[in-house]
């Protein structure tokens, strides 16, 4: 099987699965954004965070499966491993790519960095601290989900 066939199959799987990732991201945003109003995650858009963490974990797991040849060595004769790997990479490209969203995340961090009008802001204490905690928390949580998800296929 040549590289073009692998790429074309992966793209077809990606195109077929992308709408489901986008719809899940939209639904999570509708359900969860604006729900956290107190504590260390106050004002965090939990829908976007959940979508990004799900995508990070799933993409890491898929990458681990492909990296460690869980389905066998991909052979040039078009064995089952070839289709399995192309399918997994296509799901990562389409579903996970549309489930995660860097542009929305950057927009939300930027919004959270802006000071909110409040009594504290009027007294000179207003800051965009929620943006910093959201950005750092997202990266930390993404690593906490992604590293074990990638490694389980090797460790198992």
């Amino acid at each position: 099987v040549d590289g073009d066939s692998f790429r074309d199959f992966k793209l077809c799987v990606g195109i077929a699965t992308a709408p489901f990732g986008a719809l899940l991201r939209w639904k999570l945003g509708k359900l969860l954004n604006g729900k956290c109003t107190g504590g260390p995650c106050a004002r965090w858009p939990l829908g976007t965070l959940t979508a990004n963490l799900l995508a990070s974990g799933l993409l890491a797991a898929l990458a681990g499966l492909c990296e460690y040849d869980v389905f066998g060595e991909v052979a040039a004769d078009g064995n089952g491993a070839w289709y399995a790997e192309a399918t997994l990479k296509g799901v990562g490209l389409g579903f996970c790519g549309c489930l995660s969203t860097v542009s929305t995340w950057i927009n939300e961090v930027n919004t959270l960095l802006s000071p909110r009008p409040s009594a504290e802001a009027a007294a000179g204490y207003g800051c965009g601290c929620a943006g910093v905690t959201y950005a750092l928390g997202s990266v930390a949580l993404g690593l906490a989900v992604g590293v074990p998800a990638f490694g389980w296929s090797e460790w198992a």
Side-chain angles (χ1 to χ4, degrees):
V1 177
D2 62 16
D4 288 341
S5 297
F6 185 88
R7 185 195 69 229
D8 293 347
F9 187 79
K10 178 179 73 171
L11 288 175
C12 286
V13 172
I15 289 168
T17 60
F20 300 104
L23 286 171
L24 180 57
R25 176 174 45 100
W26 173 77
K27 189 66 172 172
L28 287 169
K30 286 289 200 188
L31 287 173
L32 299 174
N33 284 352
K35 299 294 185 202
C36 187
T37 57
C41 66
R43 299 179 52 212
W44 283 19
L46 295 181
T48 302
L49 179 65
T50 303
N52 287 341
L53 291 176
L54 284 172
S56 296
L58 181 57
L59 188 57
L62 294 173
L65 290 171
C66 292
E67 177 69 23
Y68 298 111
D69 295 324
V70 172
F71 298 104
E73 188 71 32
V74 174
D77 63 357
N79 63 357
W82 179 92
Y83 291 104
E85 186 167 327
T87 300
L88 293 176
K89 288 184 176 185
V91 169
L93 175 70
F95 180 80
C96 294
C98 286
L99 179 58
S100 66
T101 168
V102 173
S103 60
T104 301
W105 182 76
I106 292 293
N107 185 44
E108 290 170 346
V109 168
N110 187 44
T111 300
L112 291 171
L113 284 172
S114 303
R116 274 178 48 172
S118 66
E120 295 160 349
Y125 299 111
C127 74
C129 298
V132 174
T133 59
Y134 177 58
L136 294 176
S138 295
V139 171
L141 290 170
L143 288 170
V145 168
V147 170
F150 179 82
W152 76 267
S153 59
E154 174 65 13
W155 301 326

